[in-house]
């Protein structure tokens, strides 16, 4: 229970008298086997932009095959180093509640349902479908109400998230419940206090809700150093015995410690001897750890477990390389296009590829990434340079911070060219684990770089490619007619250059996603990061006009919605069957992402609220990604679960209440600030009676 950490705090030691070997718990598998020679897939926020649970399951399957291969190889060598185990600290399903949070890139965006469905796909992909064994075990993190700050304006290690019961139940908990429903074997408790109690010592969180309400039977592991922080950061206790007793009693099974010589959980025996912890409970806390190792096949004859036959030949196998390209292409969000894209020519006389992300191979992956052989990685420059007979390049900046800027090199690069590709953004120097932003501005001189590209490039078409997890202020580019197109590509991984060339030059392949978060115009539109109320946060509670709304994204075609069919009324607790018809009116293929929303109040501001309690403005209740042919009619079917129609009441839990529910279906949220090249259909239905679903 005390050896879940890295360095000298792992692996868990062998128990020779029982024939049990060491085990390494510390493995990161967010979008590739971290630090290992393995395939680097798009960062999580980019995967979220695909709006495809199926694709995330495919990516996770590939990741876990490589994780298993690396583990099998290391076991042969009796090596138990960090990141060679099978217990993945992934996915991250904290909500993107504030655009300045440094770890937004690791999340699946701002919506509880979208995050939960994508997480479910990732969990099933990591763990596999064998009835006896798991290929690797997933671990959803960080539980709970953890979404900044990291370091601005205060440290995460002593931060207290003050959350109302309603916001907690309706915003911060649901994605984790979907993870549990998907069969995840591990949950990681977070650094923060939750309403005054450290998450890793919070019995209401880890036992009352996680185990009693949700029937979770797996293990809880602390974030790295979170148990120590109960003493040093939160000052909640002043000694290891009390901290150990509180954490284990609350429901924590495993301490993931910093590289320290004496882990807090080494005080378990003292806590038992002092009567602060029972031996029986310690035994219960150990059982899920060994059950997980059993499911991983550690104690069976090796030839019984089919996953033991996975070897390192699967690393960067062609199917994984191709999947990395597909995932990147489907993750890119086209924010602006005046018709310049797709590019009309296969080759131009002269092009320029500029900016700090144009040829920086180490900037493409984001946090917690694999470390593939460079031969598998393509930068924007490498992917796009063949589009010009002459291809000119200039970074213009010393690094992504761009606090040293070379205007002359940019001017020289963009003069007398046909197309300029401007590659700017953030990178892990500016947003990362432990590193928040204070605003949404482009870093230092990057705005000047963009303006110089426009100023000195004559009549060239300008394509802005933005590499970022959280949003950046690109209002100037959005409103400038000289900037022909804008793509948000997040951190696309090893296939960056190949995927960019594919989407910029072709309309035949499945491509483009939709924003999994609200792209605010500036930080002035959101409350302080330390404020955990949901008022004015995310599309569900934000009434302002963002630069780009949640669910927005363009394609190379046009969609129109003609019908949405569903019953006029249902009984409370019943499923609402629904199908929606739309047309691809264009001359090219296109992937549409159909989004279904409901509201308990009319969106025109008129009276008619049907709920007895406060509810979101609108909320996503289902979605689907569909590839369509040109000039085609498409019909897609949904079943809206009663849980999605329920509202949270403090005395009865979730309740489907009698009244009118307003429903919207289309390629966008209803009445968005930007419509794009799609549409939506709206209506309402009656709920007869009331159904109490209870606490979950």
């Amino acid at each position: 229970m005390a050896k879940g950490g890295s360095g000298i705090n792992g692996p868990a030691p062998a128990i020779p008298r029982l024939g049990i070997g060491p085990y390494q718990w510390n493995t990161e598998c967010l979008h590739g086997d971290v630090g290992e020679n393995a395939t680097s897939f798009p960062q999580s926020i980019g995967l979220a932009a695909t709006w495809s649970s199926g694709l995330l399951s495919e990516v996770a399957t590939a990741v876990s095959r490589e994780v298993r291969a690396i583990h099998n190889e290391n076991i042969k060598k009796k090596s138990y180093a960090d990141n060679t185990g099978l217990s993945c600290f992934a996915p991250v399903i904290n909500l993107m509640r504030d655009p300045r949070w440094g770890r937004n890139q690791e999340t699946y965006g701002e919506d509880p349902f979208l995050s939960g469905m994508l997480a479910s796909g990732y969990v099933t992909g990591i763990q596999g479908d064998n009835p006896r064994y798991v290929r690797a075990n997933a671990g959803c993190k960080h539980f709970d109400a953890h979404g900044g700050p990291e370091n601005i304006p205060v440290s995460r290690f002593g931060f207290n998230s003050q959350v109302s019961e309603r916001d907690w139940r309706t915003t911060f908990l649901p994605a984790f419940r979907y993870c549990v429903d998907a069969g995840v074997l591990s949950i990681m408790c977070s650094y923060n206090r939750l309403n005054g109690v450290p998450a890793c010592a919070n019995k209401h969180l880890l036992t009352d809700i996680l185990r009693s309400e949700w029937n979770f039977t797996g293990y809880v592991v602390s974030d790295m150093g979170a148990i120590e922080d109960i003493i040093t950061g939160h000052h909640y206790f002043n000694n290891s015995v009390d901290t150990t007793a509180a954490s284990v009693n609350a429901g924590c099974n495993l301490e993931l410690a910093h590289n320290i010589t004496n882990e807090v959980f080494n005080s378990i025996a003292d806590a038992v001897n002092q009567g602060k912890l029972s031996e029986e409970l310690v035994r219960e806390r150990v059982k899920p750890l060994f059950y997980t190792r059993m499911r991983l096949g550690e104690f069976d004859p090796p030839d019984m477990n089919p996953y033991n036959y996975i070897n390192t030949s699967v690393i960067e196998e062609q199917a994984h390389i191709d999947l990395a390209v597909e995932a990147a292409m489907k993750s890119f969000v086209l924010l602006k296009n005046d018709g310049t894209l797709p590019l009309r020519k296969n080759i131009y006389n002269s092009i320029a590829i500029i900016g700090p992300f144009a040829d920086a191979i180490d900037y493409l992956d984001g946090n917690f990434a694999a470390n593939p052989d460079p031969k598998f990685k393509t930068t924007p420059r490498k992917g796009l340079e063949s589009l010009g007979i002459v291809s000119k390049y200039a970074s213009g900046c010393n690094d992504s911070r761009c606090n040293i800027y070379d205007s002359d090199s940019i001017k020289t690069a963009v003069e007398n060219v046909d197309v300029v590709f401007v590659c700017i953004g953030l990178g892990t120097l500016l947003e990362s684990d432990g590193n928040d932003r204070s605003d949404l501005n482009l870093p230092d001189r990057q705005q000047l770089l963009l303006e110089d590209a426009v100023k000195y490039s004559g009549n060239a078409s300008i394509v802005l490619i933005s590499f970022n997890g959280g949003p950046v202020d690109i209002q100037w580019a959005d409103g400038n007619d000289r900037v022909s197109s804008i793509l948000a590509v997040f951190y696309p991984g090893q296939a960056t250059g190949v995927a960019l060339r594919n989407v910029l030059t072709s309309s035949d392949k499945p491509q483009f996603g939709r924003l999994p978060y609200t792209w605010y115009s500036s930080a002035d539109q959101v409350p302080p990061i330390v404020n955990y109320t949901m008022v004015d946060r995310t599309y569900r509670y934000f009434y302002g006009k963002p630069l780009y709304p949640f669910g927005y994204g363009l394609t190379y075609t046009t969609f129109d919605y003609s019908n949405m069919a569903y019953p006029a009324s249902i009984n409370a607790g019943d499923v609402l069957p629904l199908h929606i018809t739309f047309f691809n009116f264009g001359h090219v293929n296109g992937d549409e992402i159909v989004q279904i929303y409901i509201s308990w109040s009319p969106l025109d501001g008129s009276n008619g609220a049907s709920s007895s309690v406060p509810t979101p403005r609108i909320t996503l209740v289902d979605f689907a990604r569909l590839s369509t042919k040109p000039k085609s009619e498409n019909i897609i079917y949904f079943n809206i679960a009663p849980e999605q129609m329920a509202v949270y009441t403090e005395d009865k839990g979730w309740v489907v209440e009698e009244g009118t529910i307003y429903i919207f279906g289309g390629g966008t949220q209803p009445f968005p600030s930007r419509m794009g090249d799609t549409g939506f259909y709206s209506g309402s239905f009656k709920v007869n009676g009331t159904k109490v679903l209870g606490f979950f």
Side-chain angles (χ1 to χ4, degrees), residues 461-625:
S461 297
I462 295 177
V463 178
L464 175 61
I465 304 169
S466 183
F467 293 77
N468 50 281
V472 291
D473 184 351
I474 51 172
Q475 295 179 81
W476 186 88
D478 180 76
N480 193 302
D481 291 341
R482 282 292 324 284
V483 179
S484 303
S485 307
I486 303 175
L487 280 90
V489 299
F490 311 104
Y491 300 113
Q494 68 179 46
T496 298
V498 173
L500 276 172
R501 182 185 172 95
N502 287 348
V503 302
L504 294 176
T505 60
S506 173
S507 57
D508 294 333
K509 299 177 181 179
Q511 57 194 0
F512 294 133
R514 307 294 185 271
L515 285 177
Y517 60 74
T518 301
W519 193 302
Y520 300 100
S521 297
S522 73
D524 295 336
Q525 291 188 311
V526 292
I529 193 171
V530 296
N531 181 346
Y532 260 72
T533 178
M534 291 308 297
V535 174
D536 291 330
R537 292 194 186 279
T538 78
Y539 79 94
R540 299 168 74 225
Y541 299 99
F542 179 65
Y543 287 85
K545 183 179 179 181
L547 186 58
Y548 307 110
F550 173 86
Y552 170 80
L554 305 174
T555 66
Y556 292 150
T557 188
T558 301
F559 299 103
D560 184 66
Y561 285 75
S562 61
N563 186 46
M564 185 169 66
Y566 53 89
S569 66
I570 61 170
N571 293 325
D574 288 351
V575 168
L576 178 77
L578 176 152
H579 68 269
I580 194 164
T581 305
F582 69 97
F583 293 83
N584 177 347
F585 270 116
H587 298 281
V588 298
N589 298 331
D591 278 20
E592 175 67 315
I593 295 173
V594 183
Q595 306 163 39
I596 309 296
Y597 297 85
I598 64 170
S599 175
W600 291 266
S601 302
L603 296 188
D604 61 5
S606 61
N607 293 327
S610 60
S611 175
S612 65
V613 296
T615 58
R617 183 180 67 89
I618 54 173
T619 194
L620 181 74
V621 294
D622 215 340
F623 62 92
R625 183 178 184 120

Side-chain angles (χ1 to χ4, degrees), residues 675-687:
M675 179 63 71
D677 49 25
T678 187
F680 70 93
Y681 211 89
S682 62
S684 65
F685 62 94
K686 297 284 187 181
V687 176

Side-chain angles (χ1 to χ4, degrees), residues 34-102:
V34 172
E36 300 294 326
N37 178 15
T39 308
S40 177
F41 292 95
Q43 174 61 293
S44 296
I45 196 65
L47 293 176
T50 70
W51 288 60
S52 174
S53 300
L55 180 62
L56 265 76
S57 185
E58 291 182 55
V59 169
T61 297
V63 169
S64 70
R65 291 181 73 228
E66 297 189 1
V67 166
R68 174 62 80 156
I70 290 167
H71 172 78
N72 290 345
E73 184 69 17
N74 278 275
I75 288 296
K76 291 178 185 177
K77 298 184 283 189
K78 299 189 183 304
S79 171
Y80 301 93
D82 288 347
N83 292 313
T84 63
L86 293 170
S87 297
C88 291
F89 299 153
V92 173
I93 55 171
N94 301 111
L95 293 187
M96 187 175 166
R97 53 171 283 278
D98 192 288
R100 296 159 293 199
W101 186 34

